[in-house]
Amino acid sequence: MESILDFFGSIPWWGWILIVIVLIAIKDIFFSRAHTIKHNFPVVGHLRYFLEGIGPELRQYIVASNREELPFNRVERGWIYASAKNENNYEGFGTDQDIFSTHYIFINNAMIPFKLDEKHPNRIDPNFIACAKVMGEFNKRKRPFRPASIINVSAMSFGSLSARAIESLNAGCKEAGAYHNTGEGGLSQYHKKGADVVFHFGTGYFGVRDENGNFSMDRMVALVKENPQIRAIEIKLSQGAKPGKGGVLPASKITKEISEIRHVPMGQDILSPPNHSAFDNIPELVDFIEDIAEATGLPVGIKSAVGRLNQWEELAALMAKTKRGPDFITIDGGEGGTGAAPPSFADHVSLPWIYAFTDVYQIFLNEGITDRIVFIGSGKLGFPAKAAMAFALGADCINVAREAMMSIGCIQAQACHNNTCPTGVATQNKWLQAGINVKDKARRVNYYFTKFRKELLEITHACGYEHPAQFTMDDVEINLSDKNLAKTLAITFAYHKEKVPFDGIQTHMDSPHLGGIHKQKEVTTKEAETEETAPHNKNE
C-alpha cells in the first residue's frame, strides 16, 4: 500500500494533467457516441462546446457593437441602467445611430417650446404625467381610474419572475405613482407593497378559478373587495411572444405558495388552454366584460397581440352599436415577451407593435369610438423617443416589461426559460434571487420611471405641447426606404389620430379618479389634518 502511495506521490503535476487528458481521450473515442465532434476530435472537441456555451456572453460584452445587439442593444440597456441608478444618462459627441436606417424616427420640434408658468404643476413635480383619459369614464363604472403615470409595469406574473423581483417592482411603482400589472399568475403578497394594481388573468383564470378550472365571479368579487389597490381588471386574449398558444405549469414547479395564490392543486400539471372557457365569440366576450365590470365596479379591458383583423372589426362595430365593451385595450407587439416561447411563435406569429397598433386604432377610429377607450402600448416602448412616437399614433399609456426588469438588474442573459437567471429576476432559485436587495431595486424602478417621464416631458415641451397626448401624427417622421427617406406617421399609416381632450396638467392632478402616490399623499395629508384638529384624550 505504501509503495502505491509512493508511486502516485512521485507523479509530477503535469503528469496528472496528461493522465486526465488520456482518460478524456479514451472516453471520447470509445464511449462518446452521441457527439461526433468529440469522437472525431478527442479532447479538443470539448473546446467547441465550451465556446458555444459562453457565446452569448462573448458577443454581448466583446464582439457586438454598441448598437448591434437584440432585443436590446448596449446603448439602450446602458440608458436604462444609468437612469435606474440615478446616474448621468447623457451621451456626448453626437449620435452614433444610423439615422438613415429604415424605421428610424424623427420628432419635429417647435421653433418656440412650450413654457411652464410659475404655478404650473410640473414646476413642483417635473415628473408628473398622468394618463389624459380616465378608464371606465364613458361606461360609467363605479370606480373609474386615471393612471397617475403614463409608464407602468406590464403583465409579468409571480412564478415567471421571482418573489423579490415582484416585490421590488411593486414597491418601486408605489414610489413612482405607477400601476403594477400582476400578470396571469394571480395576486400574490408581493404585489401588495402599496402600488396601484391591474389584475390580469388569462385562460387559466389563476387566482379567480373554481375547482374545475373555470372562471369564478364570486372569487373575482371577493378578491377586489379584499384588495382595494386593484384599480382595473385586464383579460388576456393573447400575448406577443406566443399568441393563441396555451401552456403547462408542471407539477414540479407548483409550490404551496403558488398553489394558494393561483388556486391550483398540488402534485399535478395545470393546463392553460389556448382558448377561454368563459366565452367563445366577440358578443360573449363583451357580455363577459360587462358582467365583471358590473360585479366589481372596476374598469375592465383586454390585452391582445394582433394578426387577422376581422374580429377586431366585429368588436369595434359591436361597441359602437351597443355602447358596451372594454374600457381599455392593451396592444402587445410580437417583438415582446419576457417568458418562454417557441422560436416559431416568438419570431413569426403576430405583428410588431407599430403595425399592430396602427391597424387596430384605425378600426376603432373608423367607428368613431377611440375617445372612450384608453389605448395602452406594449412592445419595446420604454424609451422616451419611442414613447413620443406611440403617443403620436394614438397610445394613451405605455406598459414596459423587459425594461422594468433591467431597472432591477436584468442583464439580458436570456435565461428566463430555464430557471437559471443569474440576477435572480426571472428564477425561482432561492440562492439566485437572494442577491436582490428589494429596497435598493425599488428605488431604481422609481428612478427609471421618473427619469423616463422627465425626458418625455422635455421632448413634449420641445415640440410645443404640455402633455404627450397632444402629439399629432404630423409631429413624427419615420424612414421608409432609400427612395422615400422620411414621411410623417400620418402619411405612412394613412390616418390622423383623434384629438384627445385635454384641459391641462392641473386638471389631471385634481382628478378624483387619479391613482398612484399623488392621491395617497393627499389622503395622508387629510388624515393628518383631521388628527390635528380632532380632540385628544388627556390620558393619552
Side-chain angles (χ1 to χ4, degrees):
M1 185 67 181
E2 288 184 7
S3 61
I4 296 174
L5 292 175
D6 290 340
F7 171 74
F8 284 122
S10 65
I11 299 175
W13 62 269
W14 51 266
W16 285 110
I17 294 175
L18 287 175
I19 291 171
V20 171
I21 291 174
V22 169
L23 291 174
I24 292 174
I26 292 171
K27 177 181 178 296
D28 290 344
I29 294 170
F30 297 104
F31 299 101
S32 290
R33 295 299 181 183
H35 300 281
T36 304
I37 295 295
K38 290 180 181 179
H39 176 270
N40 293 348
F41 303 92
V43 182
V44 179
H46 287 269
L47 186 61
R48 182 261 183 196
Y49 296 98
F50 172 74
L51 292 174
E52 182 182 45
I54 64 171
E57 288 79 9
L58 288 174
R59 290 188 292 273
Q60 183 171 352
Y61 296 108
I62 300 174
V63 179
S65 69
N66 286 344
R67 298 284 185 180
E68 194 175 17
E69 280 184 277
L70 291 174
F72 294 88
N73 63 49
R74 193 175 298 145
V75 172
E76 291 172 329
R77 296 200 314 275
W79 183 86
I80 294 174
Y81 296 146
S83 298
K85 294 175 184 178
N86 199 27
E87 295 175 350
N88 186 345
N89 61 1
Y90 285 29
E91 65 179 36
F93 212 65
T95 182
D96 61 354
Q97 289 266 38
D98 179 4
I99 62 174
F100 300 105
S101 60
T102 303
H103 282 189
Y104 191 86
I105 61 172
F106 303 92
I107 300 171
N108 296 326
N109 61 293
M111 182 179 290
I112 301 176
F114 178 82
K115 186 177 181 180
L116 298 176
D117 61 43
E118 292 300 322
K119 295 184 179 180
H120 195 279
N122 287 138
R123 289 279 190 185
I124 303 169
D125 185 351
N127 310 309
F128 177 74
I129 326 177
C131 182
K133 294 178 184 174
V134 178
M135 293 180 179
E137 187 173 49
F138 176 86
N139 290 316
K140 295 180 172 57
R141 307 304 187 198
K142 295 173 186 174
R143 289 182 60 199
F145 174 47
R146 185 194 293 275
S149 172
I150 48 83
I151 177 173
N152 304 280
V153 171
S154 190
M156 296 182 288
S157 59
F158 168 60
S160 175
L161 298 193
S162 68
R164 285 175 177 258
I166 293 292
E167 187 174 352
S168 300
L169 290 171
N170 193 267
C173 284
K174 177 187 177 182
E175 291 183 38
Y179 67 68
H180 186 185
N181 191 307
T182 63
E184 59 182 312
L187 182 72
S188 70
Q189 60 175 310
Y190 311 108
H191 291 102
K192 302 178 184 180
K193 303 303 174 182
D196 288 331
V197 168
V198 172
F199 181 77
H200 170 110
F201 67 87
T203 59
Y205 305 115
F206 296 129
V208 288
R209 56 189 269 148
D210 61 20
E211 290 70 19
N212 299 317
N214 297 315
F215 176 77
S216 169
M217 186 66 80
D218 290 339
R219 285 190 169 176
M220 173 62 84
V221 172
L223 186 75
V224 171
K225 185 176 181 181
E226 294 166 7
N227 299 278
Q229 70 268 41
I230 298 177
R231 301 300 306 271
I233 297 167
E234 183 175 76
I235 303 167
K236 189 189 86 169
L237 305 180
S238 62
Q239 67 188 74
K242 47 184 175 181
K245 186 184 186 310
V248 177
L249 180 63
S252 60
K253 288 189 175 182
I254 302 177
T255 63
K256 185 174 185 298
E257 185 178 37
I258 289 177
S259 172
E260 293 173 353
I261 292 168
R262 299 196 179 195
H263 297 162
V264 297
M266 297 279 290
Q268 66 183 62
D269 295 344
I270 301 298
L271 174 68
S272 290
N275 302 93
H276 277 268
S277 60
F279 53 88
D280 294 317
N281 51 50
I282 298 302
E284 290 180 4
L285 168 62
V286 171
D287 290 340
F288 185 55
I289 290 169
E290 291 296 330
D291 289 344
I292 294 175
E294 178 62 29
T296 64
L298 297 180
V300 180
I302 58 175
K303 172 184 176 176
S304 182
V306 178
R308 291 212 313 257
L309 300 174
N310 56 316
Q311 289 176 322
W312 287 101
E313 292 167 348
E314 182 183 356
L315 174 62
L318 184 62
M319 289 176 64
K321 180 180 178 181
T322 63
K323 293 182 169 51
R324 303 164 77 234
D327 300 293
F328 62 95
I329 295 176
T330 303
I331 299 298
D332 204 17
E335 66 270 53
T338 55
S344 54
F345 270 80
D347 295 344
H348 299 289
V349 182
S350 81
L351 294 172
W353 185 83
I354 193 169
Y355 301 137
F357 184 86
T358 52
D359 283 349
V360 170
Y361 187 89
Q362 285 185 77
I363 290 171
F364 288 89
L365 182 66
N366 292 338
E367 293 290 348
I369 58 173
T370 56
D371 60 323
R372 58 190 258 196
I373 304 166
V374 173
F375 287 97
I376 302 172
S378 176
K380 293 183 69 175
L381 298 173
F383 304 92
K386 288 186 178 180
M389 175 202 67
F391 277 90
L393 289 169
D396 300 297
C397 274
I398 300 298
N399 279 359
V400 294
R402 289 170 293 182
E403 298 94 320
M405 290 168 64
M406 288 179 193
S407 74
I408 59 172
C410 167
I411 60 171
Q412 194 172 280
Q414 297 178 283
C416 310
H417 58 296
N418 56 24
N419 205 38
T420 59
C421 171
T423 61
V425 174
T427 178
Q428 296 308 304
N429 183 297
K430 298 293 186 183
W431 171 260
L432 292 173
Q433 60 177 293
I436 296 178
N437 182 319
V438 173
K439 186 176 181 180
D440 176 64
K441 299 304 184 185
R443 189 182 301 115
R444 293 191 184 192
V445 175
N446 175 45
Y447 282 141
Y448 166 59
F449 279 3
T450 53
K451 292 273 189 178
F452 177 99
R453 293 194 302 248
K454 179 176 180 291
E455 197 164 314
L456 177 57
L457 262 183
E458 289 171 347
I459 293 174
T460 303
H461 295 162
C463 294
Y465 300 125
E466 185 181 2
H467 191 284
Q470 296 174 283
F471 277 115
T472 73
M473 294 184 69
D474 290 322
D475 292 317
V476 180
E477 297 187 17
I478 185 169
N479 280 350
L480 300 178
S481 67
D482 290 339
K483 185 176 181 181
N484 299 306
L485 278 180
K487 299 290 183 183
T488 65
L489 296 177
I491 294 174
T492 303
F493 297 104
Y495 74 91
H496 284 275
K497 81 165 194 179
E498 185 169 321
K499 185 176 180 180
V500 177
F502 177 69
D503 297 326
I505 296 287
Q506 187 64 55
T507 304
H508 296 172
M509 191 166 276
D510 296 337
S511 172
H513 310 304
L514 183 68
I517 196 168
H518 300 279
K519 186 55 63 177
Q520 293 166 10
K521 284 180 178 177
E522 181 181 319
V523 171
T524 304
T525 302
K526 287 181 178 178
E527 289 175 349
E529 290 174 352
T530 302
E531 186 176 340
E532 287 176 3
T533 55
H536 292 272
N537 189 331
K538 292 182 180 179
N539 296 323
E540 288 181 353

